[in-house]
Amino acid sequence: MSLVVKNLTKSYGDKVVVDNLSFEMKEPGVYALLGTNGAGKTTSIRMMLNMLSRDSGEVLWNGKPLTTDICNVGYLAEERGLYPKYSLMDQLIYFAALRGVPKDEAKQRIKYWAKRLEAEEYLYPAAESAQTLGDKKKIGARQRKKAFKPKLADQLSKGNQQKIQFMIALISDPELIILDEPLSGLDPVNTDLFKGIIREQIAAGKYLIMSSHQMATVEEFCTDITIMDRSKSVLQGNLNEIKKSYGRVNLHLKTEQDAREIIENSGALIVTEKEREYQIKVSGEEQANRLLADLMQNGITVITFDLREPSLHEIFVEKVGEVHE
């Protein structure tokens, strides 16, 4: 299987919001669409899913135009998409039916994902209430009736609504999963929960497209990236190869004594400094090794000396910063 996006373009009047976006996924994994706010990421995703018309371009799944008829797609939108005044269970069954999942099968999958996402209390209030009533036998009939009332979407926090929408995205066991800011609004515990499920989907051989502002998370999962800014692709390719092309130019240095003067005399650039801990930009390994020798010759005790490739966050800021200068 393969996913090919060719020359996607979209304009509103004279404003181009996506300008000839192209990329390809030849095998399962995670492809990241990154960019500043308004760069065109969400518009690109909506065009891919035929939710928004294209001025030009095409999206192919196994050589054929991508539609939900030929590809089982799961989509987690950035904005909330639940009906606020309908029960969560009814909505899950409804969305499962739209993806061709029979009702009995949908109920089994909902039960699985409710447990997996720790959302059972929002979908099975009767079971929770029954246990509560067993422990608290003094509750009255009026309170009992209220306790059994199904949960509505607008009764949930932003993070718990995100859980329900993640369930909707996964309920059809999709081949292609598109996640637009999947970790937005989540606390650290639920962030780790979502990450674990994403890893499971990767291990199951799914194709994932992820759009996110959380560079460390994207770097944790993705193999290939496109960075967009002002509708255009400004950097694209395999993340490991991109990082290698920069070389090992980022140095994390921690010393027991003040080393600022020695660092500056070496020609290296101090990016940040805090309590004799330095983030430094060097030209390469040769300059870093000279700096280490100078530190030792001057009696500076080195605690940490870590020379590394730039992070995705640093690459992103550099590429987008170049465009905005």
Side-chain angles (χ1 to χ4, degrees), residues 262 289-302 305:
I262 297 171
N289 290 334
R290 286 200 309 267
L291 172 58
L292 179 59
D294 290 343
L295 291 168
M296 296 177 69
Q297 288 174 6
N298 284 274
I300 301 296
T301 302
V302 177
F305 190 90

Side-chain angles (χ1 to χ4, degrees), residues 55-254:
D55 293 346
S56 62
E58 59 182 347
V59 182
L60 305 176
W61 179 257
N62 291 333
K64 297 179 180 179
L66 174 65
T67 67
T68 54
D69 292 331
I70 68 165
C71 179
N72 187 351
V73 181
Y75 175 42
L76 175 62
E78 178 181 8
E79 68 278 5
R80 300 297 166 263
L82 299 174
Y83 297 104
K85 298 300 180 182
Y86 289 85
S87 79
L88 299 172
M89 181 63 74
D90 288 347
Q91 293 191 61
L92 283 162
I93 291 172
Y94 169 71
F95 284 114
L98 290 180
R99 299 301 302 122
V101 182
K103 187 173 183 179
D104 289 343
E105 177 66 20
K107 288 182 177 180
Q108 290 300 314
R109 295 185 185 186
I110 292 167
K111 187 175 183 179
Y112 169 80
W113 284 116
K115 184 175 182 179
R116 187 72 182 79
L117 282 162
E118 300 177 4
E120 290 173 293
E121 64 181 289
Y122 309 117
L123 293 166
Y124 304 101
E128 182 195 25
S129 298
Q131 182 178 0
T132 302
L133 294 173
D135 297 335
K136 300 180 180 180
K137 297 180 180 179
K138 295 182 180 180
I139 192 168
R142 185 174 180 181
Q143 292 172 295
R144 188 188 305 258
K145 183 177 180 181
K146 183 177 180 181
F148 278 77
K149 188 176 180 180
K151 292 286 187 180
L152 306 179
D154 62 359
Q155 294 175 303
L156 270 59
S157 66
K158 179 180 178 181
N160 285 321
Q161 288 188 46
Q162 189 82 331
K163 287 184 178 182
I164 302 301
Q165 291 195 202
F166 200 19
M167 291 176 64
I168 291 170
L170 298 173
I171 199 166
S172 65
D173 191 21
E175 304 165 90
L176 173 63
I177 304 170
I178 300 178
L179 306 175
D180 195 354
E181 297 292 346
L183 306 182
S184 173
L186 299 179
D187 60 45
V189 172
N190 284 314
T191 294
D192 285 347
L193 183 61
F194 270 49
K195 285 183 178 181
I197 293 172
I198 292 171
R199 290 189 192 96
E200 290 173 2
Q201 298 301 309
I202 296 169
K206 304 298 181 67
Y207 288 71
L208 289 89
I209 295 175
M210 182 184 295
S211 172
S212 178
H213 289 110
Q214 300 181 23
M215 298 297 155
T217 298
V218 172
E219 191 166 6
E220 187 176 343
F221 293 115
C222 74
T223 50
D224 297 275
I225 66 170
T226 289
I227 295 178
M228 300 178 68
D229 189 74
R230 297 180 181 179
S231 80
K232 297 179 180 291
S233 169
V234 294
L235 183 66
Q236 187 174 81
N238 178 270
L239 179 57
N240 286 334
E241 294 300 320
I242 290 171
K243 292 175 73 173
K244 285 179 182 178
S245 71
Y246 278 79
R248 300 171 67 199
V249 295
N250 287 34
L251 176 62
H252 175 205
L253 174 66
K254 187 175 182 179

